[in-house]
Amino acid sequence: QVQLVESGGGLVQAGGSLRLSCAASGIVFRFNAVGWYRQAPGKQRELVASITQSITRAGNTNYADSVKGRFTISRDNAKNTVYLQMNSLKPEDTAVYYCNLAPPGPSGLWGQGTQVTVSS
């Protein structure tokens, strides 16, 4: 059974940092492109960062314009985990953050997400 488990969210003041983790089981991340998505209340889920498949190297990354220069996606193939380092957080970054394949896999692959709340 494939399972993705996000963690690392929390409440932080504007300008602060958080590091999200996405641990996978039943799927090997390094053979897949992986993305971090977020969904704010009343808004559609959006892709904020992605990293290409990478067997031996780090992989290429892409970012939404709204997070470029502040967020960094990375992967640890040995731990089968993808991270999202979020710096200079803004109140508009408040959302539930999810990881998934990029593009997303079957609907059942979505995890529970991790809540990020940025106070002004």
Side-chain angles (χ1 to χ4, degrees), residues 75-96:
R75 67 198 310 154
D76 185 331
N77 288 341
K79 296 182 178 180
N80 206 28
T81 298
V82 172
Y83 303 98
L84 185 68
Q85 177 68 44
M86 305 186 297
N87 299 328
S88 302
L89 282 162
K90 304 175 181 180
E92 51 263 44
D93 294 320
T94 295
V96 179

Side-chain angles (χ1 to χ4, degrees), residues 29-103:
F29 263 167
R30 68 181 182 272
F31 297 139
N32 295 276
V34 180
W36 278 99
Y37 303 77
R38 68 185 181 187
Q39 187 167 21
K43 295 187 177 181
Q44 288 190 330
R45 192 172 297 174
E46 61 172 341
L47 176 67
V48 296
S50 63
I51 186 166
T52 58
Q53 66 181 66
S54 58
I55 298 175
T56 59
R57 54 182 177 84
N60 296 322
T61 58
N62 286 284
Y63 300 93
D65 288 343
S66 58
V67 306
K68 200 170 293 183
R70 301 187 297 120
F71 289 11
T72 302
I73 188 172
S74 61
R75 67 198 310 154
D76 185 331
N77 288 341
K79 296 182 178 180
N80 206 28
T81 298
V82 172
Y83 303 98
L84 185 68
Q85 177 68 44
M86 305 186 297
N87 299 328
S88 302
L89 282 162
K90 304 175 181 180
E92 51 263 44
D93 294 320
T94 295
V96 179
Y97 284 71
Y98 304 86
C99 67
N100 205 316
L101 305 181

Side-chain angles (χ1 to χ4, degrees), residues 4-25:
L4 304 177
V5 179
E6 303 92 344
S7 62
L11 173 63
V12 63
Q13 288 188 333
S17 298
L18 286 172
R19 188 195 194 203
L20 307 184
S21 299
C22 173
S25 58

